[in-house]
Amino acid sequence: MRTLDHFHGGIHPAEHKLESSELPSRIAPLPSLLILPLHQHIGAGAKVQVQAGDHVLKGQLLASAQGMVSAAIHAPTSGTVTAVQPHTVPHPSQLPGLCVHIEPDGKDQWIDHAPLEYRAIPKSELLAKLREAGIVGLGGATFPTHVKYSLATDQRIQTLVINGAECEPWITTDDRLMRERAAEIVRGIEVLRHLAEPAETLIGIEDNKPQAIAAMRAACAGSDIEIVTIPTLYPSGGEKQLIKILTGKEVPSGGRPTGIGVACSNVATAYAIHRFVDHGEPLISRQMTVTGNVRTPQNIEVLIGTPLEELVRLAEPLPGATGYILGGPMMGVHIDDLRLPVVKGSNCIIVKSAKLFPPAEPAMPCIRCARCAAACPADLQPQELHWFSKARDFGKTQEYSLFDCIECGACAYVCPSHIPLVQYFRFAKSEIWQRERETQAAEIARERHEFRMERIEREKREKAERLALKEKAATAAKPAAPIAAPVMINPDADPDDTLQMRIDAAMTRAKEQAATAQPRNTENLTPQQQAKVAEIEARRAKFSELASNAGADDESSKKS
Amino acid sequence: MISALWVMVGISLLLGAVLGYSAIKFKVEGNPLVEKIDAVLPQTQCGQCGFPGCKPYAEAIAKGEADINKCPPGGEDGIRKLAELLGVDYKPFGEGAGPKAKAVAFIDEQTCIGCTLCLQACPVDAIAGAAKQMHTIIASECTGCELCVAPCPVDCISMVGLPESIQTWKWPYPVYALAQPQTPTREMPKS
Ligand code: SF4
Ligand code: SF4
Ligand code: SF4
Ligand code: SF4
């Protein structure tokens, strides 16, 4: 029996897991519409490769990964791309992001795909393939898997931790997945073991999921993967917390687990990897819990891009919905609009009702009881962080390790004054990021400005040197016939040619040129090139519209 | 006694030599305060502070010739940072001045005659183009200083506000209900 470590603090919120964990999971029917945001993972958004009107097959690439930290997006079913345009995405801002909209044709026709003999290819190639398959961490952080397992040559992974803790209340996707697809998960874990070559592999599961533990034990029988039962305590499913429990090692502040020889992935990620290597399927669907104020809370396998509305309908919502939570009640995002699509990072949708989720109690001033500090799994001082965030003293919040806060909400849960502590921490973090961006922009501007000043200086100097040289040459060549003056003077220039006239002439010239200019070399364009041309034309049109609007504004302001 | 004196003199000479040497060796170029002030200014180089760029403004502040509330692009946060750096009180923007929403310049590519006047005005080389060619703003480099707007002879440059995006969105300052303080009634038993 492995001796377990424990992390600081932790809480026991009401679990609410039985509601959805006992029904077998089902597969959602094809939705009427799919909306696929290009930015579903941490890192750079994917680069769109299709355009409106294209017919796509199931599993076809819609957008390719851009840069190292990025992942591709694929068509979840066959159909027609109806638009590539902004749509509200599941993000706390509820702002629109660019999405590919697909109307399914109902045939669900696969593109050619085949299993991958991953042991026969170099690891770098396997990682590149995972990137092209759009595999990201499905535990919630959506960190691209290929980045996590791209290890430096001197990096050794001692422990591979597979996260099956699922500590957040209400959510049961990993539980159901482990019960129903244990063997498949293990196939995926084998791929991760091949990549990381760990000395030991541990699967951490909270003791409130006995069936999942039994199923995983059975699937791992005969292999050296060890299932470790851990006590139920929120947030034991946090990456750093789970690593602490299982290995006793602490991930340093600002560091990555790989830095201390540990790699950590979620069971759902392992399952997605299995789908890819054993069936050749990119990441196009995932399991989600639909629970809360619905008649049949359950787990549903759903295509990425399905509108949440259609997903929730499958669980028969009850009257009296007061809103929705995307994710769990502790760390999820509260939304009001169900037209948002399912993305790779969505693991749960909870329908709120006044009874299940009563409105937050009014807050009172902090009484410095330090209960928050006792509950904080990151061993922070939330009361101090709260104080400094409230006073906008962001330098101090950083001194108190604000960025070690995992926004788990344990502090706010225990706070007797009902202070929305996490909201303060999120506010402070985004203010600090904003400042970071501004400082960077200022730094770039400063460099560019200094470069420009230097350039102007240099040009002046060079000009002076050239002039001096020319003068010298001129004096030397004086006896010879004086040739054309160095400056060309327009022979038919009117002496009273004003600046304005020259400008007008230039404008008409530019207009004529624009009018007579015929597009050249426009035959045999590839669709991509055509799309580019169309894009540029649209941009031009927008500019001229903007300019005419601005002009109109100017005129109206002049009149007034 | 005498030897002790000599030892002290020796030590002081040695330390003096070390100090003198390091003063030459580690000499700080320029005025460190100006550099520090310049570092918190937004580097837009727009001249809205009344000085021909951020560095001159920084120099003026360092000399005590200018107030800290003169830089609109820096916003109130900028004033706060300056106040903190200089150990003076925060001072709100004066009459007529105020923070500005971030914007970038746009050149109407149809109207541009390629005169290069805007190119010469831009302090950060954010405009690409050559004589008699259409000019374009490199939006990611544009600081929104508006210096290119006035020189354009055909008025084809306009400032366009930057919409909030998911990348720049910020969590709002928490707003929530506070419990009403309970006024003790007379009937309450005193404990
Ligand atoms: S738990 Fe709440 S009241 Fe107690 S110290 Fe923390 S923030 Fe203050
Ligand atoms: S939200 Fe942050 S500060 Fe609060 S308990 Fe969790 S880690 Fe600690
Ligand atoms: S107003 Fe601000 S940004 Fe503009 S030049 Fe002055 S200090 Fe720089
Ligand atoms: S393009 Fe215009 S507004 Fe932008 S930085 Fe250059 S001069 Fe300023």
Side-chain angles (χ1 to χ4, degrees):
Chain A
M1 190 70 198
R2 173 172 289 273
T3 49
L4 294 180
D5 207 317
H6 56 85
F7 58 90
H8 181 269
I11 54 169
H12 286 284
E15 287 180 20
H16 290 289
K17 296 219 182 222
L18 281 175
E19 281 93 331
S20 58
S21 67
E22 300 315 305
L23 271 183
S25 46
R26 61 187 269 205
I27 296 177
L30 270 188
S32 63
L33 164 76
L34 287 162
I35 303 157
L36 292 125
L38 296 181
H39 206 161
Q40 303 191 16
H41 43 262
I42 288 184
K47 190 169 181 343
V48 67
Q49 302 289 356
V50 291
Q51 53 180 333
D54 284 1
H55 185 264
V56 291
L57 294 175
K58 183 172 186 158
Q60 186 175 332
L61 184 77
L62 294 180
S64 53
Q66 246 187 141
M68 178 63 183
V69 187
S70 185
I73 314 273
H74 300 79
T77 185
S78 58
T80 314
V81 176
T82 53
V84 180
Q85 64 186 35
H87 186 279
T88 324
V89 296
H91 183 269
S93 66
Q94 312 220 9
L95 282 171
L98 201 57
C99 298
V100 177
H101 299 239
I102 296 179
E103 193 181 293
D105 60 8
K107 295 189 199 123
D108 209 24
Q109 189 185 355
W110 266 101
I111 197 166
D112 283 342
H113 60 295
L116 179 69
E117 259 308 320
Y118 65 90
R119 286 181 202 275
I121 57 173
K123 278 185 197 169
S124 56
E125 204 173 307
L126 173 56
L127 289 168
K129 286 215 172 351
L130 289 177
R131 175 170 174 263
E132 286 158 26
I135 310 264
V136 299
L138 296 184
T142 59
F143 190 72
T145 302
H146 68 273
V147 184
K148 199 178 262 185
Y149 290 89
S150 298
L151 303 168
T153 38
D154 57 342
Q155 254 176 346
R156 289 277 165 276
I157 294 298
Q158 171 69 22
T159 315
L160 174 63
V161 169
I162 301 297
N163 192 340
E166 197 162 58
C167 59
E168 177 122 5
W170 292 96
I171 310 180
T172 56
T173 53
D174 292 349
D175 183 6
R176 277 314 315 179
L177 197 67
M178 287 188 283
R179 290 196 211 180
E180 294 169 1
R181 322 246 167 110
E184 288 89 337
I185 293 172
V186 175
R187 299 272 306 169
I189 294 174
E190 287 302 336
V191 180
L192 292 177
R193 271 157 55 99
H194 170 70
L195 280 172
E197 295 176 22
E200 54 175 1
T201 307
L202 311 174
I203 308 181
I205 309 176
E206 279 191 344
D207 58 11
N208 58 359
K209 294 182 256 305
Q211 290 106 317
I213 293 168
M216 291 302 288
R217 281 242 160 83
C220 294
S223 82
D224 52 0
I225 303 176
E226 192 181 331
I227 314 291
V228 188
T229 310
I230 57 173
T232 301
L233 179 66
Y234 180 85
S236 62
E239 187 174 65
K240 292 184 175 183
Q241 284 67 34
L242 186 63
I243 291 172
K244 180 79 176 25
I245 299 172
L246 294 180
T247 67
K249 291 186 197 165
E250 280 198 39
V251 182
S253 171
R256 292 212 166 282
T258 37
I260 55 162
V262 181
C264 182
S265 280
N266 187 272
V267 285
T269 316
Y271 179 71
I273 293 172
H274 149 75
R275 297 297 309 177
F276 174 60
V277 296
D278 290 339
H279 300 276
E281 299 175 6
L283 180 54
I284 52 169
S285 66
R286 65 157 301 144
Q287 311 277 126
M288 261 184 93
T289 306
V290 186
T291 185
N293 190 32
V294 293
R295 192 176 315 275
T296 43
Q298 59 189 303
N299 283 286
I300 302 179
E301 184 175 329
V302 58
L303 297 180
I304 310 285
T306 304
L308 287 171
E309 213 168 9
E310 300 195 19
L311 177 66
V312 169
R313 211 177 295 146
L314 299 175
E316 301 163 72
L318 297 172
T322 53
Y324 309 90
I325 307 174
L326 196 55
M330 303 295 292
M331 299 178 76
V333 178
H334 292 252
I335 54 174
D336 316 309
D337 186 1
L338 273 190
R339 277 172 306 169
L340 305 179
V342 169
V343 290
K344 290 177 182 177
S346 328
N347 50 7
C348 178
I349 175 92
I350 305 175
V351 182
K352 291 197 280 187
S353 71
K355 189 158 154 271
L356 293 172
F357 294 90
E361 294 200 39
M364 285 187 285
C366 170
I367 52 169
R368 302 221 145 230
C369 64
R371 271 194 230 172
C372 49
C376 176
D379 207 354
L380 304 177
Q381 300 288 322
Q383 76 280 23
E384 305 289 348
L385 287 172
H386 161 235
W387 186 255
F388 294 126
S389 309
K390 196 171 174 176
R392 296 171 196 258
D393 190 346
F394 302 121
K396 269 285 190 329
T397 60
Q398 275 173 292
E399 271 172 44
Y400 278 86
S401 316
L402 172 68
F403 283 96
D404 282 349
C405 165
I406 58 169
E407 298 175 21
C408 67
C411 50
Y413 181 83
V414 297
C415 176
S417 293
H418 309 293
I419 300 170
L421 293 162
V422 185
Q423 284 184 33
Y424 277 105
F425 306 155
R426 287 175 170 163
F427 156 75
K429 282 183 187 176
S430 60
E431 284 293 325
I432 292 169
W433 284 324
Q434 159 85 8
R435 280 166 186 224
E436 198 79 4
R437 277 196 299 271
E438 270 167 16
T439 327
Q440 264 170 20
E443 205 39 60
I444 293 171
R446 191 201 326 274
E447 266 167 31
R448 289 183 75 93
H449 181 59
E450 273 163 15
F451 179 78
R452 177 189 158 87
M453 296 318 254
E454 232 176 79
R455 198 197 67 213
I456 290 173
E457 268 306 301
R458 197 186 59 225
E459 274 170 6
K460 250 194 215 152
R461 221 170 37 236
E462 280 170 3
K463 206 168 175 188
E465 274 163 20
R466 260 205 319 274
L467 262 180
L469 264 180
K470 232 184 217 161
E471 240 159 52
K472 227 190 234 164
T475 39
K478 204 116 213 200
I483 344 167
V487 189
M488 275 285 291
I489 297 169
N490 198 352
D492 44 23
D494 214 332
D496 51 35
D497 182 6
T498 61
L499 179 66
Q500 188 53 45
M501 277 173 70
R502 290 229 295 276
I503 291 166
D504 288 345
M507 266 177 93
T508 34
R509 215 169 37 238
K511 281 233 176 77
E512 271 163 21
Q513 260 174 21
T516 53
Q518 281 301 319
R520 266 175 301 170
N521 196 17
T522 47
E523 303 92 43
N524 310 328
L525 291 185
T526 63
Q528 276 104 327
Q529 283 169 326
Q530 254 156 13
K532 232 343 85 54
V533 171
E535 194 182 295
I536 293 169
E537 288 298 341
R539 200 150 60 95
R540 285 189 155 205
K542 203 175 76 197
F543 286 157
S544 53
E545 193 186 310
L546 275 170
S548 57
N549 285 351
D553 287 353
D554 278 359
E555 263 143 46
S556 58
S557 63
K558 265 176 215 157
K559 264 177 222 145
S560 62
Chain B
M1 179 62 194
I2 295 288
S3 63
L5 256 180
W6 279 121
V7 167
M8 292 312 284
V9 167
I11 289 177
S12 51
L13 280 179
L14 185 72
L15 288 180
V18 168
L19 276 178
Y21 173 74
S22 38
I24 294 160
K25 172 95 200 198
F26 305 110
K27 193 166 167 225
V28 180
E29 293 293 336
N31 184 346
L33 183 59
V34 172
E35 302 284 321
K36 270 191 204 148
I37 298 173
D38 194 38
V40 286
L41 293 176
Q43 303 302 323
T44 306
Q45 319 294 358
C46 65
Q48 288 172 51
C49 48
F51 294 88
C54 301
K55 193 78 169 269
Y57 179 44
E59 279 160 6
I61 297 180
K63 280 193 216 133
E65 288 167 3
D67 248 334
I68 58 169
N69 62 349
K70 297 274 181 257
C71 170
E76 273 157 12
D77 265 353
I79 303 180
R80 234 173 246 127
K81 277 190 229 164
L82 284 173
E84 199 176 309
L85 176 69
L86 301 168
V88 297
D89 281 339
Y90 168 81
K91 203 171 195 179
F93 277 111
E95 278 290 305
K100 267 213 180 113
K102 185 133 172 54
V104 293
F106 260 129
I107 293 182
D108 172 16
E109 296 175 3
Q110 307 281 13
T111 321
C112 172
I113 54 172
C115 68
T116 73
L117 287 177
C118 57
L119 206 126
Q120 291 160 33
C122 178
V124 292
D125 282 345
I127 305 179
K132 300 197 180 162
Q133 302 277 309
M134 183 183 73
H135 288 24
T136 307
I137 309 272
I138 311 167
S140 59
E141 310 291 0
C142 173
T143 61
C145 69
E146 301 184 12
L147 289 181
C148 54
V149 177
C152 178
V154 292
D155 281 341
C156 72
I157 306 181
S158 49
M159 300 304 294
V160 179
L162 282 182
E164 190 172 42
S165 74
I166 292 180
Q167 279 72 39
T168 57
W169 177 82
K170 292 189 291 180
W171 282 93
Y173 190 79
V175 187
Y176 50 88
L178 267 182
Q180 292 306 312
Q182 269 158 21
T183 35
T185 47
R186 224 170 276 148
E187 291 90 302
M188 244 167 74
K190 277 194 184 138
S191 55

